[in-house]
């Protein structure tokens, strides 16, 4: 909330799991403190065995609440891409940008994304070349014959209020010093609850150094 009062910062909320949608109340909660959301690629185009099966409405719903949507993580390696993109990083970015309507990407290869951003084939309207047409979700999956279809997967869960609302931090309490069974005080503990052992380590080292110096 302190950052919210600073106009020079854009607060971004990162969704750590694949989602198939988001509740309206959840989107409103995010909008109270963030201006953008980062979601996974599977939250835009769900995959099954690296085949895109469909498209969700996550992006338009978040954008309807004036939230920018960024998708992660884009890489050049073909193993990180669905088969629908033909192992082409530019085809993948174009499909998410034009077909998915996202605002930006989170990538390990910024040069590839920057090259796409400067592509002269963008924003040409009816004169856009055919190879800049985004991939249609599920088009390749529908070509798989029945014996070779991968097992059906459960849909991704919805993002709920419980996923966004953070519980309050527990109060700070002072721990009373404990005693050992023989009545001696226990070793002092650091603020993180771990016993302080630095002094007991330093003293034997000093003893060893004094013994070595006495030999010479």
């Amino acid at each position: 909330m302190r950052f919210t009062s600073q106009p020079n910062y854009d607060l971004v909320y990162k969704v750590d799991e694949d989602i198939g949608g988001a509740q309206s109340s959840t989107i409103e909660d995010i909008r109270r403190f963030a201006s953008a959301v980062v979601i996974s690629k599977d939250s835009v185009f769900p995959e099954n065995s690296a085949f895109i099966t469909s498209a969700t409405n996550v992006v338009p719903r978040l954008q309807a609440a004036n939230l920018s949507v960024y998708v992660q993580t884009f890489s050049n390696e073909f193993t990180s891409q669905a088969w629908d993109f033909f192992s082409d990083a530019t085809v993948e970015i174009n499909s998410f940008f034009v077909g998915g309507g996202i605002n930006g990407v989170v990538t390990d290869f910024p040069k590839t994304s920057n090259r796409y951003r400067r592509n002269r084939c963008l924003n040409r309207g009816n004169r856009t070349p055919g190879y800049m047409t985004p991939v249609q979700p599920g088009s390749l999956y529908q070509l798989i014959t029945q014996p070779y279809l991968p097992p059906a997967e459960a849909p991704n869960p919805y993002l709920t209020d419980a996923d966004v609302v953070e519980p309050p931090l527990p109060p700070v309490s002072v721990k009373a010093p404990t005693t050992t069974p023989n009545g001696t005080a226990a070793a002092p503990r650091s603020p993180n609850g771990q016993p302080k052992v630095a002094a007991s380590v330093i003293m034997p080292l000093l003893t060893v150094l004094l013994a070595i110096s006495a030999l010479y």
Side-chain angles (χ1 to χ4, degrees):
M1 301 309 295
R2 288 286 300 273
F3 275 105
T4 304
S5 61
Q6 302 294 328
N8 296 328
Y9 295 95
D10 290 332
L11 302 183
V12 181
Y13 181 79
K14 178 182 176 182
V15 180
D16 293 327
E17 60 180 344
D18 299 331
I19 59 174
Q23 297 177 350
S24 298
S25 57
T26 306
I27 297 176
E28 287 299 318
D29 286 340
I30 297 175
R31 197 165 67 102
R32 288 191 301 107
F33 59 84
S35 58
V37 180
V38 174
I39 59 177
S40 65
K41 293 191 292 186
D42 211 66
S43 299
V44 182
F45 297 136
E47 297 181 14
N48 185 356
S49 299
F51 291 97
I52 295 178
T53 58
S54 60
T56 68
N57 65 346
V58 174
V59 174
R61 291 207 62 199
L62 292 174
Q63 291 176 339
N66 295 323
L67 291 168
S68 300
V69 180
Y70 301 96
V71 177
Q72 65 174 13
T73 302
F74 288 80
S75 301
N76 285 358
E77 289 86 354
F78 73 93
T79 54
S80 67
Q81 305 161 6
W83 298 118
D84 304 64
F85 303 126
F86 310 110
S87 302
D88 192 322
T90 302
V91 173
E92 182 183 34
I93 295 174
N94 183 68
S95 297
F96 275 87
F97 182 72
V98 178
I102 66 175
N103 299 101
V105 301
V106 180
T107 177
D108 294 331
F109 297 85
K111 187 175 182 179
T112 301
S113 301
N114 186 49
R115 182 178 60 202
Y116 171 77
R117 184 178 60 85
R118 294 183 287 106
N119 195 319
R120 295 182 180 180
C121 295
L122 296 174
N123 303 321
R124 298 191 64 183
N126 296 331
R127 300 177 59 189
T128 301
Y131 54 80
M132 294 299 292
T133 303
V135 170
Q136 296 301 313
S139 58
L140 187 60
Y141 187 82
Q142 296 173 359
L143 299 178
I144 305 175
T145 56
Q146 189 67 31
Y148 297 98
L149 278 174
E153 294 183 351
N156 293 327
Y158 263 56
L159 189 68
T160 63
D161 296 340
D163 298 321
V164 177
V165 176
E166 296 289 343
L169 296 175
V172 178
S173 59
V174 180
K175 295 182 179 179
T178 58
T179 58
T180 58
N182 58 6
T184 59
R189 292 182 174 270
S190 59
N192 61 5
Q194 300 297 324
K196 295 181 178 180
V197 296
S200 61
V201 173
I202 293 174
M203 290 304 295
L205 289 177
L206 290 176
T207 305
V208 172
L209 291 176
L210 290 174
I212 295 174
S213 62
L215 292 176
Y216 295 96

